[in-house]
Amino acid sequence: MKAVTIDEICNAVLSYYPEAPADGLRILRGADEFAERVHGSQRRHSGEPYMVHPRLVAMILTELRLDIPSIATAILHDTVEDTHATLEDIENNFGPTVAGLVDGVTKLSKITFKTSEEKQAENFRKMIIAMAKDIRVILVKLADRLHNMRTLEHLLPYKQKLIAQETLDIYAPIANRLGISSLKTELEDHCLRYLHPDIYYKLAAKVSKSRREREKYIEEVTTMIQEKLKEYDLNGSVIGRSKHFYSIYKKMERRKIEYDQLHDVIAFRILLDNITECYKALGVIHATYKPVQGRFKDYIAIPKANQYQSLHTTVIGPQGERIEIQIRTHDMNDVAEHGIAAHWIYKEGKLDGNSRDVQWVNRLLEWHKDLKDPNEFLETVKIDLFAEDVYVFTPKGDVMEFPHGATPLDFAYAIHSDVGNHCVGAKVNGKIVPLKYRLKSGDTLEILTSPTQTPNKDWLKLVKTSKAKSRIRAYIKTQERVRATQLGREIIEKEFKAYGQKIAAVQKTPLFEEFLKKRAFKTPEDLFIYVGYGRLQPAVVALAVLQPDVLAKKVEPGEEKEPSFLNKVFESARNKIEGRNAITVDNIDNILIRFGRCCNPIPGDNIVGFVTRGRGITVHTVNCQKALDFENERRVDVRWNLRSPVKRHVRIKVLSHDMPGILADMSQSIAGCAVNISKADIRTTKDRKAICNFEIEVSGLDQLSKVISALEAKKFVINVERVRA
């Protein structure tokens, strides 16, 4: 990759910001001199001088046409982390704005997403806070990540995979949500190269093989479209291209087909001067080529959440090829390529606060305040990041945007929490539909409510939006806390009654207040909740808060020792267990344990336990959706008991081509991993595919991985996945 100089960076800035002040360019040159001095003789893994990296990151930001403080930050972004330079040095030399941005990027660089689920969620929260303070921080970080992905071949293979997965999970979706398609598509292609090199290079070979033929086809169609536009006095530029590798890969994966079976891998873009010409050009295209039914989308009238605007249509082009055509103005194309960066106001040096992208970041900040559980916050953000859009209308004709698969409940909660809590159904296009109805673009909705209706846990399976999920969970948790509070009070009342005491009187004693303080309960209600959930025995409370002379009336000498609440909770369950458990809790292993059927954890999975009164502990995987619905007060730390190996049943689904003998072949592969098949279910599809569901007995995650790898190695196997529920 060709290195760049500070002169080239300054010239690139002047190309889109000709009125840039001389002081600004001096800051850039000063930043370059400062960075070169402090980085000194440092070198990258590639062996290149370290300064090659920050300069190329800065050049990426000039392609996004960012402001001077952002470019300076790119040049300086590693100085505080990797050299002796301090933030004070940065501020003294380049001012508080650049220092603040460098500080933000430095903090982002220290965030890793390769740790446990809870740590990952907390780190994502930190990233959102940094983004909300100044959106330029994440833009510099995205450019930094892009250049790192371009040079990833110099790292060890395991590091390549870790960084690529993190990029695919976190940074590419953020780039997409901010509308920076040029950055998003390149990041995705690099991720595919390192995560699935066999698929990437196979695609590269096939695309390269047909390149000459494809380029000729693109040239012919481009000429034909331009001539047709001229016939109708439309002066538009036409660009033809092949879709990028990751897009092709996802399409193959979604349709379960090979590259040779794909017919719509070529796309054309028509750029015009105004919206009127866009719709006129659409008419010309549809009059020239037969449109494919159901493949037209108007993102000009109803833009995407990231401000993307364009007309999309798929038509049958020359030689019967399906081709996708996008029609947009030059300004719309600028937004599509550069996203949030296209809205930069250089004179003020900041983004328009009313920009929908900035509003999105502010919405993330609201979730950060509302959702205290890190895992719930991460799940909420991921839903928003990966959403496909559906656009529906209110009775007044206003357009509202929802993720694919949203229901009337999502619509109701988008209006108001009270409307959502009391929603019983909806009228869609004048017809009454149930709560499970999936919204379609163009639907007009009217919500039906009842004062007696309240949310329940089943609603969580119906809704897709972050707001709806968080409001339903909040309502359910509030109701559970109310019930737990009432139950806990009744249990303590009953315990105190045996000593001739009333809770109202005991609450006023110093011993009671001291007990609350010792246990970190802010109010008596917090104590009642713990007792109501079964996390604290009433006898423990009585022993701690009642006077010795009162206790003497019931408690025999030697019984005043505080018992372990876990021993008490599961006291009745201990004798029901035979042998040692697969799970340990606080180093106690002979207690009642149940595994969640929703996620079916196996040894090796990261797990968490929840106290269920009268039923012991239910164990879930940490990323199980149901685990998010439990109160934190019920949560207990659990671990797999390595001293007592256990086999667990797990289900896997194998999609393959339908061929004679495949069942026997797959069974041999599974048996070859020393794994027993307890159940098998096979069916075939009309397109000559076979779907095989196996229930197997494994000792843990490692053995399951061996089975999956053995099956994936078969040529006739298309996909293997673990079935959770």
Side-chain angles (χ1 to χ4, degrees), residues 105-215:
V105 177
T106 302
K107 287 175 179 174
L108 282 191
S109 298
K110 292 177 181 177
I111 292 176
T112 174
F113 295 95
K114 300 188 274 285
T115 56
S116 68
E117 189 81 11
E118 188 166 341
K119 186 70 175 174
Q120 175 176 322
E122 193 54 51
N123 286 338
F124 203 97
R125 192 190 286 268
K126 291 175 185 175
M127 172 176 277
I128 298 308
I129 296 170
M131 286 169 61
K133 284 183 180 177
D134 195 321
I135 195 69
R136 290 175 291 184
V137 169
I138 194 64
L139 296 178
V140 175
K141 183 61 184 175
L142 286 171
D144 175 45
R145 178 53 60 104
L146 177 57
H147 183 252
N148 283 334
M149 290 300 295
R150 287 175 177 174
T151 56
L152 205 57
E153 73 267 16
H154 301 292
L155 298 185
L156 294 172
Y158 84 94
K159 284 191 176 182
Q160 292 173 349
K161 285 187 179 293
L162 286 173
I163 293 170
Q165 192 63 58
E166 180 182 275
T167 302
L168 193 63
D169 290 344
I170 306 294
Y171 294 104
I174 287 178
N176 180 53
R177 195 56 184 75
L178 295 176
I180 313 173
S181 66
S182 57
L183 214 154
K184 171 238 180 193
T185 53
E186 188 177 347
L187 284 175
E188 287 177 340
D189 279 355
H190 286 304
C191 291
L192 181 64
R193 175 184 172 188
Y194 293 104
L195 291 175
H196 303 287
D198 52 336
I199 294 173
Y200 177 86
Y201 289 110
K202 203 177 288 183
L203 270 179
K206 290 187 176 181
V207 169
S208 177
K209 187 177 180 182
S210 59
R211 177 172 293 160
R212 186 174 299 175
E213 184 181 328
R214 192 175 59 255
E215 286 177 352

Side-chain angles (χ1 to χ4, degrees), residues 228-431:
K228 279 293 178 183
L229 293 176
K230 285 179 183 177
E231 284 182 28
Y232 291 89
D233 298 323
L234 289 171
N235 185 25
S237 57
V238 182
I239 305 163
R241 61 177 178 83
S242 293
K243 293 185 176 179
H244 66 291
F245 286 1
Y246 188 77
S247 172
I248 295 172
Y249 160 68
K250 292 302 288 184
K251 192 164 288 190
M252 289 165 55
E253 191 181 54
R254 190 166 56 248
R255 298 181 189 175
K256 306 297 181 188
I257 58 176
E258 297 297 323
Y259 175 79
D260 297 332
Q261 296 171 278
L262 279 178
H263 298 291
D264 49 351
V265 295
I266 297 175
F268 292 87
R269 187 176 301 159
I270 302 174
L271 304 182
L272 299 140
D273 293 331
N274 56 60
I275 292 175
T276 303
E277 290 184 349
C278 289
Y279 285 101
K280 189 175 178 182
L282 177 68
V284 172
I285 294 299
H286 281 184
T288 306
Y289 305 112
K290 185 179 180 180
V292 177
Q293 194 171 2
R295 296 298 301 271
F296 167 68
K297 292 179 181 176
D298 188 344
Y299 293 121
I300 290 181
I302 307 175
K304 286 188 177 185
N306 59 12
Q307 301 191 63
Y308 176 88
Q309 286 184 287
S310 188
L311 298 175
H312 284 201
T313 186
T314 301
V315 298
I316 306 298
Q319 302 172 27
E321 286 285 336
R322 282 191 177 201
I323 55 175
E324 182 184 295
I325 298 179
Q326 302 167 354
I327 306 170
R328 60 180 77 145
T329 66
H330 293 282
D331 288 341
M332 290 173 189
N333 191 59
D334 192 25
V335 172
E337 291 297 313
H338 303 120
I340 194 168
H343 298 281
W344 203 265
I345 302 173
Y346 294 99
K347 291 181 181 177
E348 298 178 17
K350 63 180 182 180
L351 277 172
D352 179 3
N354 295 318
S355 159
R356 289 175 70 183
D357 298 310
V358 178
Q359 289 173 358
W360 171 67
V361 176
N362 290 335
R363 189 164 76 244
L364 293 182
L365 199 58
E366 286 176 21
W367 293 338
H368 157 69
K369 293 174 183 174
D370 293 343
L371 303 173
K372 302 304 180 187
D373 182 353
N375 290 314
E376 189 175 342
F377 175 75
L378 182 62
E379 186 220 11
T380 298
V381 173
K382 279 185 175 179
I383 288 171
D384 193 76
L385 274 177
F386 292 98
E388 295 177 24
D389 304 325
V390 173
Y391 301 93
V392 299
F393 296 91
T394 68
K396 294 182 179 179
D398 296 326
V399 177
M400 298 183 74
E401 172 197 342
F402 295 95
H404 180 73
T407 65
L409 278 172
D410 293 293
F411 184 92
Y413 277 104
I415 296 170
H416 196 277
S417 294
D418 286 340
V419 176
N421 287 340
H422 299 296
C423 176
V424 292
K427 281 186 179 180
V428 174
N429 306 323
K431 294 181 180 179

Side-chain angles (χ1 to χ4, degrees), residues 533-534 569-570 592 594 610-618 620 630 634:
Y533 280 149
V569 170
F570 304 110
L592 183 62
R594 298 167 65 249
F610 294 92
V611 175
T612 310
R613 190 169 183 79
R615 299 172 72 187
I617 285 179
T618 303
H620 294 268
F630 288 103
R634 296 192 188 194

